[in-house]
Amino acid sequence: KSGLDPGGAWHAWGMACLKAGNLSSAREKFNRCLKPPMDLNQLNHGSRLVQDVIQYLESTVKPILIADDDYFATLRELEATLRTRSLSLELMCEGKIQHNSYYQECLFYLHSYGTNLAIISFYMRHDCMREALLHLLNKESPSEVFIEGVFIPSYKSGKLHILENLLETIDPGLESWGAYLIAACKYLQRKNYYHILYELQQFMKDHVRAAMTCIRFFTHGAKSYTELGDKQTWLLKIKDHLKVYLQEVSRSSGRKKMAFTFRKKMSAADVSRHINTVDLQMEVTKFLHRCESSGTSQMTGSSLPTLFGNNNMKMDVACKVMLEGKNIEEGFGIAFRVLQDFQLEATEVYSKVAKQLVKQQKYGEIRQLLKCVNESGVAAKNDGDNIILNCLNEFKSIPAEDLDNLIQDMDSDENKIQAYVMCNKLRSAYLVSVRQEKTRAVQLVQHVRQLAENSGDDVVKAICTQWL
């Protein structure tokens, strides 16, 4: 009459029936106020009303039907009480739990009015992981339901191995679990749970991704190559994963098609390249670890470069190897292989090293560097000269004698003139200019005279004029 929503009354009546142990009557009352969810895959446990029903049924010991003033339960009632004791306290295995009427009642309400997540969570609470997984597959629930309902509870309660065994039992190839497993890996990565991630990737036999996780274990948080030296076992694990992957690829290439759809794929050539990178990183690590231990190491950078980074980082590795040895020659071989293997811009790296040597005032080492570059067999004609020219921006800090020695080491006269001009040594520039072929010499001397005039160097200007 008052037009109020009768739902609350039906729910209260239903709960009263439940408490009285009248299960069939409760179903009828709840049918009038409970509704199934619009989307069975929504990430919650359904309406509050359904959750109340399930909560009550799970916590219930047995319908209490006490006759008048009978305070002492008969033996039979006591036995029944023990048999239907609280589900949440009992570790019920598959056989026993299903015969419990309260368990069946829970399932009735969950299947009629609950979400897939609610059903799966119920199974998980009562150690029926197999049923939870089969329900998930059967309903083709999205990955979020798997993560929220099965995966998170499993690893939090230390049952990841049980979950893995069940996944394998239900589908030995794991193909039907592919999307769920990849989603679990992404979730763990977002959470930075890399140890669980690595364990899961090994279970999935996803060797390429497992190798990538090992790279992170190797590089993450290391502040020095001494620390990286202690983490070299990860490099061996990367190689192991990649080798196993190569074996699997070669084994399956004879068959029609490789079934591993969810595992990361990579061409054999790429895998071999990565194995070479790991080998080279091992050499670099051993070398720099030795340098740091013996105290020859001088460079301190904010981040520690490794060969697993981008090309700029690889160039930093090459520089570090050359600069941290006892002398340039000691690390040049490894650095040269880094430059060759990754096809890096060699001149840029050599110039960087030379500039660093100027800062360290090791001018003799710059000459050593030029010798190594020339003897490497792949240097272009002007590489050595360009390295010196690139250092000369810092010429004010280089002592005169060392500066002269460096310029004298240049191959091309044109470059020597350019170098002298850069360093304001106009008289030396004039002396080299006049040795050139006549027409070119005239052009060069005119240029030097102009520079002398601009800078107010009357002596050089007069010499140039006289020669011209």
Side-chain angles (χ1 to χ4, degrees):
K1 283 178 180 177
S2 56
L4 294 172
D5 175 23
W10 285 117
H11 188 262
W13 198 351
M15 289 302 284
C17 292
L18 269 191
K19 288 170 185 174
N22 191 343
L23 303 181
S24 56
S25 185
R27 283 189 185 193
E28 183 200 328
K29 305 297 180 281
F30 284 128
N31 189 36
R32 295 171 182 272
C33 62
L34 298 179
K35 292 183 178 63
M38 298 287 283
D39 174 14
L40 287 173
N41 287 321
Q42 59 198 40
L43 287 182
N44 58 41
H45 291 261
S47 73
R48 184 69 255 172
L49 300 180
V50 179
Q51 289 179 54
D52 288 346
V53 173
I54 301 302
Q55 213 170 342
Y56 175 75
L57 284 168
E58 282 187 304
S59 63
T60 259
V61 176
K62 141 184 198 298
I64 300 167
L65 300 166
I66 295 179
D68 299 334
D69 55 354
D70 184 12
Y71 295 107
F72 301 101
T74 63
L75 277 173
R76 206 178 64 236
E77 280 179 302
L78 187 58
E79 192 186 347
T81 305
L82 291 170
R83 197 167 53 245
T84 57
R85 118 195 105 149
S86 168
L87 285 170
S88 52
L89 295 174
E90 189 173 8
L91 286 178
M92 290 196 167
C93 59
E94 287 174 27
K96 291 174 192 163
I97 193 168
Q98 273 113 349
H99 298 311
N100 184 301
S101 57
Y102 281 81
Y103 172 87
Q104 295 302 336
E105 210 58 22
C106 282
L107 284 181
F108 166 76
Y109 286 107
L110 285 168
H111 281 287
S112 306
Y113 311 110
T115 60
N116 284 326
L117 181 59
I119 297 167
I120 285 165
S121 299
F122 174 78
Y123 281 133
M124 291 294 287
R125 274 200 302 282
H126 301 297
D127 279 345
C128 295
M129 196 187 282
R130 184 187 171 83
E131 280 72 10
L133 289 170
L134 291 171
H135 181 84
L136 186 86
L137 267 192
N138 195 18
K139 299 293 179 189
E140 296 180 350
S141 293
S143 307
E144 292 78 15
V145 175
F146 168 74
I147 289 170
E148 204 65 38
V150 180
F151 187 69
I152 295 176
S154 294
Y155 79 72
K156 280 191 174 172
S157 58
K159 292 178 182 167
L160 196 55
H161 285 301
I162 298 172
L163 171 62
E164 289 173 351
N165 291 338
L166 274 172
L167 293 176
E168 217 163 17
T169 309
I170 296 168
D171 177 2
L174 298 179
E175 284 303 313
S176 40
W177 305 115
Y180 296 127
L181 289 168
I182 294 294
C185 289
K186 286 179 180 169
Y187 165 81
L188 292 170
Q189 204 165 355
R190 277 199 307 278
K191 288 279 186 183
N192 287 333
Y193 296 161
Y194 283 94
H195 288 280
I196 305 175
L197 173 65
Y198 182 51
E199 190 187 321
L200 189 62
Q201 287 167 335
Q202 289 180 92
F203 160 72
M204 291 159 65
K205 298 185 172 57
D206 194 347
H207 293 292
V208 175
R209 287 193 180 97
M212 291 157 91
T213 305
C214 291
I215 290 174
R216 191 196 181 271
F217 283 134
F218 175 69
T219 55
H220 185 68
K223 298 278 186 291
S224 68
Y225 261 89
T226 306
E227 285 178 35
L228 285 186
D230 299 334
K231 294 166 91 175
Q232 285 187 78
T233 45
W234 288 114
L235 292 176
L236 295 171
K237 284 185 179 176
I238 298 168
K239 271 182 78 170
D240 289 343
H241 284 300
L242 294 175
K243 282 178 177 172
V244 172
Y245 177 77
L246 272 184
Q247 286 164 4
E248 285 182 0
V249 171
S250 61
R251 269 206 303 272
S252 62
S253 59
R255 300 177 206 150
K256 283 182 186 173
K257 192 179 176 221
M258 203 170 169
F260 310 138
T261 48
F262 64 91
R263 298 175 179 94
K264 190 168 178 63
K265 293 185 179 60
M266 195 178 270
S267 72
D270 279 349
V271 175
S272 302
R273 212 161 33 76
H274 286 305
I275 290 174
N276 287 341
T277 301
V278 174
D279 285 335
L280 197 47
Q281 180 62 54
M282 280 176 125
E283 271 194 68
V284 167
T285 307
K286 282 173 187 161
F287 178 77
L288 290 175
H289 181 241
R290 199 172 66 239
C291 293
E292 284 181 7
S293 307
S294 64
T296 57
S297 170
Q298 300 201 353
M299 279 180 85
T300 47
S302 49
S303 67
L304 197 63
T306 69
L307 298 178
F308 300 119
N310 58 20
N311 277 357
N312 285 339
M313 196 185 259
K314 288 172 182 138
M315 287 161 93
D316 288 346
V317 171
C319 291
K320 197 172 172 65
V321 168
M322 280 190 263
L323 288 164
E324 296 214 357
K326 288 199 291 285
N327 51 43
I328 288 293
E329 202 168 2
E330 192 187 16
F332 187 83
I334 297 175
F336 184 69
R337 274 180 51 209
V338 170
L339 297 175
Q340 290 293 296
D341 280 12
F342 299 106
Q343 299 178 332
L344 302 172
E345 194 50 65
T347 318
E348 196 181 322
V349 173
Y350 297 144
S351 298
K352 242 180 170 177
V353 170
K355 282 178 182 170
Q356 202 63 35
L357 291 170
V358 169
K359 279 185 189 161
Q360 295 173 10
Q361 300 182 339
K362 293 182 173 175
Y363 308 109
E365 289 292 301
I366 298 176
R367 301 177 82 177
Q368 178 79 62
L369 172 66
L370 296 173
K371 179 172 171 280
C372 290
V373 171
N374 290 329
E375 287 173 359
S376 69
V378 295
K381 186 166 178 262
N382 273 334
D383 276 1
D385 289 5
N386 288 333
I387 293 166
I388 294 172
L389 284 172
N390 281 324
C391 299
L392 295 182
N393 299 327
E394 314 288 327
F395 76 90
K396 289 189 176 70
S397 60
I398 304 177
E401 189 183 339
D402 291 304
L403 191 59
D404 272 340
N405 287 339
L406 281 176
I407 297 174
Q408 290 297 327
D409 280 345
M410 294 173 97
D411 290 327
S412 140
D413 282 349
E414 294 272 345
N415 288 334
K416 282 181 186 171
I417 295 164
Q418 191 186 337
Y420 283 131
V421 166
M422 276 173 78
C423 303
N424 294 329
K425 291 179 168 285
L426 297 181
R427 186 185 176 86
S428 301
Y430 160 77
L431 291 171
V432 181
S433 299
V434 295
R435 294 207 304 265
Q436 307 310 304
E437 178 268 321
K438 189 59 69 70
T439 5
R440 183 67 186 134
V442 171
Q443 291 171 342
L444 290 168
V445 173
Q446 281 174 335
H447 178 58
V448 172
R449 182 176 66 172
Q450 187 60 53
L451 291 171
E453 191 175 329
N454 295 347
S455 62
D457 189 338
D458 295 335
V459 178
V460 174
K461 182 186 165 189
I463 297 171
C464 290
T465 310
Q466 187 183 356
W467 185 88
L468 286 168

